Amino acid sequence: MDGITVRSLFKKKREGKKIVMVSTYDYISAKLCEQVGIDCILVGDSLGMVFQGQDTTLPVSLEEMIYHAKAVRRGAKNTFVIVDMPFMSYQVSIEEAIRNCGRVIKETGANAVKIEGGEEVAELVYRLVNIGIPVVGHIGFTPQSVHALGGYRVVGRAVEEAERVKSDFKALEEAGAFMVVLESIPKGLTKELTEGSRAITIGIGAGPYCDGQVLVFHDLVGLVEDIKPRFVKRYLEGAELFRNALNRFKSEVESGLFPSEEESYG
Ligand code: KIV
């Protein structure tokens, strides 16, 4: 099998090499990620907010995830692609969840699925792993539970919450999740979870002590301007660059400078 695999990701963890993941949703950005050697692309259900302009990830459907995952796979044939299972695609019953996860793997060519939750999804994780579907867990702040968690916030500062994060991590590891995303948790807790862990830890707002890091493509290239959580680092002021290009196009059309002879057919 060409490209990045669960085995090669574990090798990186063993060798202490950081794993780099980007969450993105389309052919072009996936291709750019593959060109620079990003290890994993997550087709995240954050697409509900970033791509569709919704307030939360909750409205995203399974069909939409499959549509975006197919586009990503076309752009990144050798990158390890993980698809987020959207809200209510895995909560109703184990049977329905397995069928939906199976659809994602069969129809998109993705390598793994990601499921939010800890102990409550451990049995599902175990069943999926046993039928050969690699599973990524997601604990700490879990966006699909935004209402229950009382908004976007750091999870695990209080002792009780930290204990819950630890027991969720253990449950996912025991169920066979090969990787766990840790979102918005204190860095000390991340360190404790990562040291001696079997599963690969990937952080977002979880500090430096993870096996790898993930950011959303549109955040890291500066296309999302309305919200900027503390954990986001912008490597480009993309929105400003895009606006400049659009402004130049607008003024050249209005002034008759575009199209010139060069852009016209004889
Ligand atoms: O949906 C997403 O993009 C995610 C990452 C931010 C971890 O879940």
Side-chain angles (χ1 to χ4, degrees), residues 38-160:
I38 299 294
D39 297 299
C40 305
I41 294 178
L42 169 66
V43 186
D45 63 355
S46 53
L47 70 86
M49 298 166 82
V50 177
F51 186 84
Q52 299 176 340
Q54 315 258 21
D55 290 334
T56 69
T57 61
L58 301 177
V60 177
S61 71
L62 182 63
E63 301 308 322
E64 287 164 347
M65 292 309 300
I66 290 174
Y67 170 88
H68 284 277
K70 283 180 176 172
V72 163
R73 180 46 99 200
R74 283 184 215 115
K77 299 202 167 47
N78 295 311
T79 307
F80 196 91
V81 173
I82 301 158
V83 180
D84 241 344
M85 294 306 294
F87 181 58
M88 292 317 288
S89 69
Y90 58 95
Q91 289 91 343
V92 175
S93 70
I94 298 256
E95 281 66 30
E96 192 175 302
I98 291 175
R99 202 167 292 119
N100 287 338
C101 293
R103 267 196 72 193
V104 165
I105 297 294
K106 279 177 81 132
E107 294 178 28
T108 71
N111 303 85
V113 293
K114 177 164 84 59
I115 288 170
E116 289 186 14
E119 286 178 43
E120 72 280 17
V121 295
E123 190 189 339
L124 171 61
V125 172
Y126 178 81
R127 294 277 300 274
L128 289 167
V129 171
N130 270 284
I131 59 172
I133 298 181
V135 180
V136 179
H138 184 159
I139 56 173
F141 180 78
T142 44
Q144 291 175 16
S145 305
V146 61
H147 298 311
L149 288 167
Y152 294 89
R153 66 177 178 87
V154 176
V155 171
R157 281 204 176 115
V159 177
E160 248 176 49

